[in-house]
Structures are given as C-alpha cells and as structure tokens.
Amino acid sequence: MSELARNSILNFWVTVNEGEYDKVADCFSEGCIVKFPGWEKVYKGKDSCAGFFKKFILEKNVTHTELSFFQGYHPGGEDDGSQNSIVNWIQEEGVAKNDAQYTISYSAKFDVCKAGTISSVDLIMDENMITQVFG
C-alpha cells in the first residue's frame, strides 16, 4: 500500500502542477474530504475537493515551491513507510492576491484508500497567513 499511496500523491501534485484541473478530480475518491482552516472549512466529494485545489492554487501566483514527503508513522518517530498516510511539508513563495510578496510554510496530510485515490486531505496553515495570501 505504501508505494500505491506515494504514487497517488505524486500523481496528484504532477497533475496540479501541470494545470490539468479537469483531471484532478480523478485523483480523489467519491467520498473525499478536504479540511482547510478558513474558507468553507470542509469540502466533501470528488468534484468539491478538486474545486478546492483549483481555487487554492489559482488564487495566488506561486514563484517557488519546496515539497517534502513523509510517509507512515511509528511511535518512536521513524518514518516506516507502512501506512496509507503521507504528510507533505510545503514551503512556498509567491505573489498574493493583493500583489504583496509572501513566504509561507504549511502541511498537507493525505490519506489514500485501497483503490489508490485520495480519501482525505487535512491542510494546516496559519490563519493569519491565509488572510495575507488570499485576502
């Protein structure tokens, strides 16, 4: 499962970065849930989740991104790669909706179901940064 989960998340980010938003919905399961501080808080369903990420990406002009992957969980803190959860730590620079430069760090925890589609995403971002970046 761990390789399937990793490939599913990589496929999602590649699809988003290529701007193929018509294909992003295929990355999500029918019952997918996205949680994000601010905005509507929770997005439910395949199309709603895809719509969220389209808005999340297109509402800002990203000029640089660094993405780290961590998979699995072990009580001792080791990354054992055995779980269907992947956490991405994202560092992003860009131009906000109000044309101000920004630098933010946030995390996204993805859960992948057995079918290889994303079943949930929890985004963690400082709410003050959400206001700064998205207005």
Side-chain angles (χ1 to χ4, degrees):
M1 178 64 173
S2 61
E3 186 174 340
L4 177 64
R6 187 173 30 258
N7 289 341
S8 297
I9 303 308
L10 283 170
N11 180 54
F12 164 77
W13 284 118
V14 167
T15 303
V16 166
N17 286 331
E18 290 178 353
E20 296 181 337
Y21 295 102
D22 56 325
K23 296 180 183 176
V24 170
D26 294 337
C27 297
F28 297 104
S29 67
E30 289 295 333
C32 182
I33 296 175
V34 173
K35 296 177 186 170
F36 182 65
W39 295 1
E40 292 178 26
K41 302 275 186 197
V42 176
Y43 295 77
K44 295 180 180 178
K46 188 178 199 171
D47 292 331
S48 180
C49 292
F52 165 81
F53 275 99
K54 183 175 181 180
K55 177 180 176 183
F56 184 76
I57 300 297
L58 295 179
E59 290 270 322
K60 57 193 188 300
N61 180 14
V62 178
T63 57
H64 180 77
T65 302
E66 291 184 32
L67 181 66
S68 300
F69 278 76
F70 296 88
Q71 184 170 6
Y73 172 77
H74 186 277
E78 295 90 7
D79 176 10
D80 67 3
S82 65
Q83 304 296 317
N84 64 344
S85 295
I86 292 181
V87 176
N88 291 152
W89 273 273
I90 300 113
Q91 172 113 17
E92 187 177 284
E93 297 175 4
V95 180
K97 208 172 173 181
N98 63 2
D99 292 328
Q101 298 284 326
Y102 72 86
T103 300
I104 57 173
S105 295
Y106 59 97
S107 65
K109 179 183 172 278
F110 293 86
D111 287 320
V112 176
C113 61
K114 289 180 182 176
T117 54
I118 299 166
S119 58
S120 70
V121 184
D122 291 310
L123 287 156
I124 309 297
M125 181 186 290
D126 182 305
E127 291 202 34
N128 293 324
M129 292 306 298
I130 295 169
T131 302
Q132 180 183 344
V133 174
F134 296 103

